[in-house]
Amino acid sequence: MTKRIVVGMSGGVDSSVAALLLKQQGYDVVGLFMKNWEDDDSDEYCSSRQDLLDAVSVADTIGIPIEAVNFAEEYKERVFSYFLREYQAGRTPNPDILCNSEIKFKAFLDHAIQLGADVIATGHYAQVREAGGLFQLLKADDDSKDQSYFLHRLNQSQLGHAMFPLGKLLKSEVRAIAEQHGLSNYAKKDSTGICFIGERPFREFLNRYLPTQPGEMRTPDGKVVGKHIGLSFYTIGQRQGLGIGGAKDASGEPWFVASKDMANNRLIVVQGHDHPALLSKRLTALDSHWISGTAPPMRRAISRRWTASAAHSSSTSRNGRSRPDSRWCSTTAISAWAAQSSNRGWIDSRKIHVYISVGRMRP
């Protein structure tokens, strides 16, 4: 019996090519479009209607059935509420990570199984491998598009039901395949906004749900250098949008957000790339998640989110960049809020969202 695969189709080129490749491989492919946001669906930043039209057009070209499903309630309950709580607490969350674990690989997976799916597939740039009875999450061959970081909260059951057909392809190859097969969205711009919410002005959007609580911007020594509109609207390490670049008696160097004094509603800012307040010798990583289900031996490989380098082992990918050896890397991961800088063990608060990959080391 032919395996049935339900593909999450967003209307973008990646998920479209994923569906095309699976169809070419002989699978029974069904497309599923997810609508997960309704609050302001009619404004200029929400493209869900056009995305649905694109997904339907591609499904027709490929020759597969497609249906639409609404997960707006689940998204608000499982993802957006967390998103707002984190901002209210002064932190900067990444909702796409929770969106994947709670919506695409939970609500979507459950619905796909009801449709008779054996597995689900998406257009993520990542890979899954089964080894020793466990499913491992691996990086994609295209380091510049790798999305394994955004999938690191998936568990064994979710990975065991997942396929990522684009894991060994470069983005340029994906667009070429789409064009060669007449997919109407082959040149469609990639989405870069918040998961399912779109590319709207972020501060304006956040202000709809969180009240502004203006306060002082101060330096670590207590000097008042400006006013902020509310601590929730700033991120540790932020440089743009502070409004104090031309402060009197300033050195002319850029200003950065160093910390937040939540108790006194003060935003602590410093000037200069190498200010000591931007550095620390340690970080605290909370809410760890082990993909294997149990914590591995505590020898660590730390892969910085904005590079493709690892601490102790690498190989060369197809685009010529160094990347962690996939034989051990990415068996599990945790998310943290700082990253090692080049300053010999110091942690730079401006380089946030470290992807810490902890795997069983090779002998």
Side-chain angles (χ1 to χ4, degrees), residues 218 220 231 234-237 256-262 266-270 277-278 349:
R218 292 194 177 199
L231 296 181
Y234 300 87
T235 297
I236 303 300
F256 295 92
V257 175
S259 61
K260 299 180 182 183
D261 182 350
M262 300 298 292
R266 293 169 180 164
L267 190 69
I268 309 303
V269 296
V270 297
L278 293 172
S349 64

Side-chain angles (χ1 to χ4, degrees), residues 7-20 32-34 47-59 62 66 104 122-125 166 171 174-175 177-179 183-192 196 199:
V7 181
M9 297 185 67
S10 65
V13 65
D14 294 329
S15 58
S16 299
V17 170
L20 170 67
L32 191 64
F33 178 88
M34 293 174 280
S47 60
S48 61
R49 280 194 295 272
Q50 184 59 52
D51 291 339
L52 175 57
L53 291 175
D54 291 340
V56 170
S57 173
V58 167
I62 297 173
I66 185 171
K104 294 181 181 178
T122 69
H124 284 98
Y125 287 83
L166 308 187
K171 179 71 177 194
V174 170
R175 288 202 182 276
I177 291 171
E179 185 175 13
L183 303 190
S184 58
N185 59 356
Y186 74 90
K188 186 174 181 178
K189 181 182 177 182
D190 290 339
S191 173
T192 57
F196 294 119
E199 300 183 38

Side-chain angles (χ1 to χ4, degrees), residues 14-326:
D14 294 329
S15 58
S16 299
V17 170
L20 170 67
L21 294 176
L22 293 172
K23 176 69 173 179
Q24 291 177 334
Q25 292 168 26
Y27 293 111
D28 176 15
V29 179
V30 176
L32 191 64
F33 178 88
M34 293 174 280
K35 179 177 173 59
N36 296 338
W37 189 253
E38 291 185 323
D39 277 18
D40 47 8
D41 195 30
S42 62
D43 73 16
E44 63 181 304
Y45 300 109
C46 189
S47 60
S48 61
R49 280 194 295 272
Q50 184 59 52
D51 291 339
L52 175 57
L53 291 175
D54 291 340
V56 170
S57 173
V58 167
D60 183 62
T61 301
I62 297 173
I64 62 171
I66 185 171
E67 71 168 66
V69 61
N70 191 316
F71 291 135
E73 183 178 347
E74 290 88 343
Y75 182 82
K76 271 201 165 183
E77 178 184 336
R78 302 180 192 180
V79 180
F80 193 63
S81 59
Y82 158 82
F83 173 83
L84 293 181
R85 286 196 305 270
E86 287 295 289
Y87 270 105
Q88 287 175 314
R91 295 183 287 269
T92 304
N94 187 328
D96 289 352
I97 295 172
L98 199 60
C99 182
N100 282 323
S101 63
E102 293 295 327
I103 304 300
K104 294 181 181 178
F105 292 88
K106 186 169 288 185
F108 170 80
L109 175 59
D110 291 343
H111 186 81
I113 290 176
Q114 292 177 7
L115 296 177
D118 296 292
V119 296
I120 63 172
T122 69
H124 284 98
Y125 287 83
Q127 300 182 64
V128 175
R129 178 181 64 189
E130 185 176 6
L134 292 175
F135 293 97
Q136 300 175 340
L137 175 62
L138 306 179
K139 293 188 64 172
D141 278 5
D142 191 336
D143 288 323
S144 67
K145 291 296 181 179
D146 175 67
Q147 294 173 305
S148 58
Y149 168 76
F150 296 99
L151 300 167
H152 77 252
R153 293 198 66 83
L154 301 189
N155 57 37
Q156 285 292 296
S157 177
Q158 290 168 319
L159 283 177
H161 285 89
M163 291 181 68
F164 304 116
L166 308 187
K168 293 188 178 298
L169 296 175
L170 303 180
K171 179 71 177 194
S172 57
E173 294 174 320
V174 170
R175 288 202 182 276
I177 291 171
E179 185 175 13
Q180 290 166 7
H181 289 82
L183 303 190
S184 58
N185 59 356
Y186 74 90
K188 186 174 181 178
K189 181 182 177 182
D190 290 339
S191 173
T192 57
I194 298 172
C195 183
F196 294 119
I197 297 177
E199 300 183 38
R200 64 201 70 221
F202 183 70
R203 183 172 289 183
E204 173 188 318
F205 171 77
L206 197 60
N207 195 33
R208 299 181 189 179
Y209 302 92
L210 298 179
T212 56
Q213 295 179 311
E216 296 176 336
M217 286 188 187
R218 292 194 177 199
T219 61
D221 59 8
K223 181 181 178 181
V224 178
V225 295
K227 298 285 186 180
H228 67 77
I229 64 170
L231 296 181
S232 297
F233 298 87
Y234 300 87
T235 297
I236 303 300
Q238 180 177 330
R239 173 179 173 178
Q240 302 294 331
L242 301 184
I244 53 176
K248 187 178 180 179
D249 299 326
S251 67
E253 291 190 274
W255 289 87
F256 295 92
V257 175
S259 61
K260 299 180 182 183
D261 182 350
M262 300 298 292
N264 297 298
N265 193 31
R266 293 169 180 164
L267 190 69
I268 309 303
V269 296
V270 297
Q271 196 169 22
H273 288 86
D274 299 316
H275 194 285
L278 293 172
L279 303 173
S280 176
K281 285 191 172 181
R282 63 183 181 181
L283 64 83
T284 301
L286 303 175
D287 193 24
S288 61
H289 171 73
W290 309 109
I291 289 177
S292 65
T294 58
M298 286 292 100
R299 292 176 61 192
R300 296 172 178 83
I302 300 180
S303 177
R304 285 176 273 183
R305 170 73 172 85
W306 63 98
T307 70
S309 62
H312 69 278
S313 180
S314 66
S315 59
T316 301
S317 63
R318 292 178 59 192
N319 57 11
R321 296 184 181 181
S322 175
R323 66 184 179 89
D325 190 326
S326 63

